[in-house]
Amino acid sequence: MSEEFNTASRSVRPGLIASGIVSAWTWAATLLQSSTVAYQYGIAGPFWILLFSVLACKVKQNAPRCHTYLEIIYARYGAVAHWVFIFFALLTNVLVGSQLLLGGSAVVTSLTGMNVYAAIFLIPLGVCVYVVLGGLRATFLCDYSHTLILMVIILYFMFSTYSTNPLIGSPSAMYELLKEATVKRPVAGNQGGSYVTMKSNYALVFGVIQLCSGSGTVFLDQAYWQRAIASRPTTAVRAYILGGLAWFAIPFGFATTLGLAAVALTDNPSFPTYPNVMSQAEVTAGLASPFAAAALLGKGGAVALLIVLFMAVTSCASAELIAVSSVLTFDIYKTYVKPRATPAQLIFISHVMICVFGLTMAIFACIWNAIGINLGWLFLVMGLLIGGAVFPAAFAITWRGQTRAGAIAGATTGLFAGLISWLVTAKLYYGALTVSTTGMEYPTLAGNLAAIITGLIVSVAVSLSRPIPFDWETTRSINALSTSTSTIQDASTNQHLPNMQDKEKERQESNHGNLPTIRDEEKQMQEDEAGLEEPSKLKSAFKVAVIASVSLTFIMDFLIPIPMFLSHYIFSRGFFTAWVVISFIWVFCSAAISIVLPIVEALGFFRGLVEDIRRGKKGGYR
């Protein structure tokens, strides 16, 4: 029971994993912060991505039965390192959860007038209920439905903005409005002050910060590891590559559309702040996309954006809840409180921890809101707080040469280096340490870079100074004993069944043993078990993961944007139109991956199910 609740029996197929990745990574920062950056810096803002497929493959190779990545830390490095990384894991979850609720509550309050604190507490309430009832598999199924609605509404906004809406209606009209905005409100640091150029100094700064904080959230947030753990060993890499590509459609299509629409319509009477521009507080709260939606489509646009935001916040919150529940249950309760806990006890603790963390992230969001910290500030600062542990956490599953001292020293010194660089830069540049100055681009850039680079250098240097050999069999044996024990117990129980039940079971097996669904499931299990028992069979998948992730990251983060940045090119009308067309194509491809592919993967099961039912009726079952 606890295996199914926390890992979905490790049997989820790549299409549903990819859909879950899109949904889980489409949190408040994706929808709101990337739109804000497009509003502030133009088309260059949202153009960044990071993939996770290498670790997804390595966790299947080197720790196939783990529940959390912290179990790997404990097996390799012991209790002290375990507690250090528990701190970073929970800090990541608190920061992500806070951003979810801060961004969501700000938009709900802006569009509906609801009290902000009521919104903060109401958002996680419903999520806690369905996560407690359904566990990880329920979050995947909810992720799929959320992603379906998300894609439909994204396409609704895009088609309205670029084809039917009388306020814009075409890429050419958008281009002309952006040219007018360049004359009235030129962007500091952009080539010619233009909104349609990749030569944007502050967008580049944001991109670097996003790479640091994005790597921190992915490598340290158990929610992403949870999907790697839940996926089938033979398809984990494919799932993460597809999921990463599909996710990019969100900032590329949705954020660029509404962010630029907010720029284009600022001087239109339909814009909520007309005749004024958005205040800095409204910008940093992430209100560019809600205001653009309301200007374009009135109440319908506001309702559509509220639905998208609700889908995104609840889906990501469900992933965070089940992830934190897994950490608190397996890494604290089972490890230190009750090592011999039964599956029923683990399920109960998981339920309790889900509710505890739902309340905790609401309380933190209230605290941030009360002291004037908003979504933008938290997003920029997050990377410098967690960045030091990124490479030590990644090395724990990929590099046998990292030692206990290297992992601990890299994570802790990275944290201190990030904090010192952040505060010193803010003081030197702006002369004071306030919420405003510490949330500016250059101090947070310095802190993010210092944290992640220091963590890398110190971890490698300390590990190489006193190398200690390590055998991956230590991590491959995690939970192997408990799995085999439960299997033995099941077999023992089956041996004592009454004779009548045994005969009935044999009759059912003889009738159903050759059914398509049974054969398909057995084939999958045999493939997966072969991968678990012989990690060498996953080496080809690892090579694919390395080549694909390095190539795609290089292309998306460097090969396309950097030459355009260095060339100082300002988009022509034709180039901008092509850019919009590519964004439409990407969103349609994303919809195919995250919506159509899971259905295609399930067709075989449904065909087999229909055949099972037909044969069952012929056999006279009641």
Side-chain angles (χ1 to χ4, degrees):
M1 281 180 64
S2 62
E3 285 290 307
E4 169 64 19
F5 185 85
N6 290 285
T7 70
S9 299
R10 311 173 200 272
S11 61
V12 184
R13 296 193 179 190
L16 200 55
I17 293 283
S19 181
I21 291 167
V22 173
S23 184
W25 216 359
T26 305
W27 40 305
T30 304
L31 292 174
L32 303 179
Q33 187 64 16
S34 52
S35 292
T36 297
V37 175
Y39 174 81
Q40 290 178 301
Y41 310 132
I43 207 160
F47 205 75
W48 305 96
I49 191 173
L50 197 65
L51 299 178
F52 186 65
S53 59
V54 173
L55 289 188
C57 182
K58 273 298 183 181
V59 78
K60 289 299 182 184
Q61 274 187 295
N62 295 332
R65 298 177 182 88
C66 69
H67 301 98
T68 70
Y69 77 94
L70 295 168
E71 288 183 332
I72 303 170
I73 301 289
Y74 182 72
R76 281 198 67 173
Y77 307 128
V80 175
H82 192 219
W83 280 107
V84 169
F85 282 89
I86 285 175
F87 165 77
F88 280 103
L90 295 179
L91 176 62
T92 303
N93 292 123
V94 167
L95 291 172
V96 171
S98 298
Q99 290 181 62
L100 286 174
L101 297 184
L102 278 177
S105 62
V107 173
V108 170
T109 299
S110 172
L111 296 179
T112 68
M114 178 186 288
N115 180 276
V116 65
Y117 296 105
I120 286 173
F121 278 96
L122 286 175
I123 289 172
L125 181 62
V127 185
C128 287
V129 173
Y130 79 71
V131 174
V132 165
L133 293 176
L136 183 61
R137 197 176 294 273
T139 70
F140 279 118
L141 298 176
C142 289
D143 283 349
Y144 177 79
S145 61
H146 291 179
T147 304
L148 172 63
I149 296 170
L150 180 68
M151 289 298 174
V152 169
I153 294 180
I154 287 174
L155 289 169
Y156 169 59
F157 280 127
M158 293 180 72
F159 275 107
S160 174
T161 301
Y162 289 112
S163 63
T164 63
N165 195 280
L167 299 181
I168 301 177
S170 70
S172 296
M174 173 71 89
Y175 183 80
E176 292 301 323
L177 288 170
L178 293 176
K179 283 180 65 177
E180 293 176 15
T182 299
V183 175
K184 296 177 182 178
R185 299 179 301 280
V187 183
N190 280 25
Q191 181 68 23
S194 176
Y195 287 91
V196 287
T197 178
M198 292 296 289
K199 169 54 176 74
S200 175
N201 296 340
Y202 287 110
L204 181 64
V205 169
F206 174 82
V208 175
I209 294 173
Q210 162 63 14
L211 286 175
C212 295
S213 63
S215 61
T217 53
V218 172
F219 292 161
L220 298 173
D221 188 345
Q222 172 60 24
Y224 297 100
W225 292 83
Q226 204 91 15
R227 281 160 170 74
I229 290 165
S231 62
R232 294 182 57 213
T234 50
T235 57
V237 171
R238 193 192 325 162
Y240 272 86
I241 292 173
L242 290 174
L245 290 171
W247 170 83
F248 185 67
I250 308 300
F252 188 34
F254 177 89
T256 303
T257 298
L258 288 185
L260 294 182
V263 174
L265 298 178
T266 294
D267 299 315
N268 191 290
S270 65
F271 199 74
T273 64
Y274 180 83
N276 302 314
V277 298
M278 291 175 63
S279 68
Q280 186 60 29
E282 290 170 331
V283 172
T284 55
L287 298 181
S289 53
F291 285 174
L296 283 167
L297 299 161
K299 289 184 179 180
V303 170
L305 192 86
L306 277 175
I307 292 172
V308 166
L309 189 71
F310 179 78
M311 295 291 101
V313 170
T314 54
S315 183
C316 189
S318 69
E320 294 300 310
L321 288 169
I322 198 74
V324 173
S325 168
S326 296
V327 171
L328 297 177
T329 300
F330 290 101
D331 288 287
I332 296 179
Y333 179 77
K334 189 179 179 184
T335 303
Y336 298 106
V337 179
K338 196 168 185 179
R340 296 184 178 276
T342 64
Q345 290 171 327
L346 294 177
I347 286 286
F348 174 75
I349 294 298
S350 295
H351 290 169
V352 171
M353 294 306 175
I354 285 168
C355 299
V356 167
F357 183 66
L359 180 63
T360 300
M361 66 180 184
I363 291 172
F364 269 98
C366 289
I367 294 172
W368 302 135
N369 190 77
I371 62 178
I373 289 176
N374 56 30
L375 170 65
W377 191 96
L378 273 182
F379 184 83
L380 294 174
V381 169
M382 178 173 62
L384 66 91
L385 295 175
I386 62 177
V390 168
F391 281 104
F395 288 155
I397 192 64
T398 58
W399 181 36
R400 69 174 69 242
Q402 180 172 255
T403 63
R404 177 192 296 112
I408 296 173
T412 53
T413 56
L415 172 61
F416 289 119
L419 289 172
I420 292 169
S421 300
W422 171 46
L423 297 176
V424 169
T425 305
K427 180 68 174 177
L428 291 177
Y429 263 73
Y430 305 107
L433 295 178
T434 65
V435 171
S436 176
T437 60
T438 54
M440 300 298 286
E441 287 85 355
Y442 288 122
T444 51
L445 174 66
N448 275 269
L449 288 176
I452 200 164
I453 293 173
T454 301
L456 170 62
I457 293 173
V458 171
S459 174
V460 172
V462 172
S463 297
L464 293 179
S465 65
R466 296 189 64 182
I468 300 173
F470 177 76
D471 186 355
W472 288 117
E473 289 302 320
T474 303
T475 56
R476 291 186 191 119
S477 65
I478 295 173
N479 294 319
L481 180 61
S482 61
T483 303
S484 61
T485 302
S486 60
T487 304
I488 292 169
Q489 289 174 347
D490 290 343
S492 175
T493 303
N494 289 337
Q495 288 174 1
H496 292 88
L497 287 174
N499 290 334
M500 290 296 293
Q501 291 185 10
D502 284 345
K503 290 179 180 179
E504 177 66 17
K505 184 178 178 181
E506 288 174 7
R507 187 172 70 85
Q508 290 181 7
E509 287 176 351
S510 64
N511 281 304
H512 292 278
N514 293 319
L515 293 180
T517 51
I518 302 297
R519 291 199 304 269
D520 182 59
E521 188 68 24
E522 288 177 348
K523 182 181 177 182
Q524 291 176 24
M525 290 175 65
Q526 289 170 1
E527 291 174 356
D528 295 347
E529 283 300 318
L532 296 182
E533 299 303 329
E534 297 182 48
S536 59
K537 293 190 175 182
L538 291 174
K539 284 186 177 179
S540 60
F542 176 67
K543 290 178 183 178
V544 171
V546 171
I547 294 171
S549 60
V550 171
S551 301
L552 290 171
T553 302
F554 175 74
I555 291 169
M556 302 304 298
D557 287 348
F558 300 100
L559 187 60
I560 295 176
I562 297 303
M564 295 176 72
F565 177 90
L566 296 175
S567 69
H568 295 193
Y569 177 63
I570 297 176
F571 291 9
S572 65
R573 180 185 286 102
F575 194 94
F576 178 75
T577 301
W579 187 273
V580 172
V581 170
I582 291 171
S583 73
F584 271 89
I585 294 171
W586 205 307
V587 172
F588 275 112
C589 291
S590 174
I593 292 170
S594 55
I595 297 171
V596 179
L597 181 59
I599 296 175
V600 172
E601 289 175 341
L603 284 179
F605 167 77
F606 286 116
R607 279 197 298 266
L609 179 62
V610 171
E611 184 67 15
D612 288 1
I613 294 171
R614 187 180 66 82
R615 293 190 181 187
K617 287 180 179 178
K618 279 189 175 184
Y621 287 100
R622 295 178 182 177

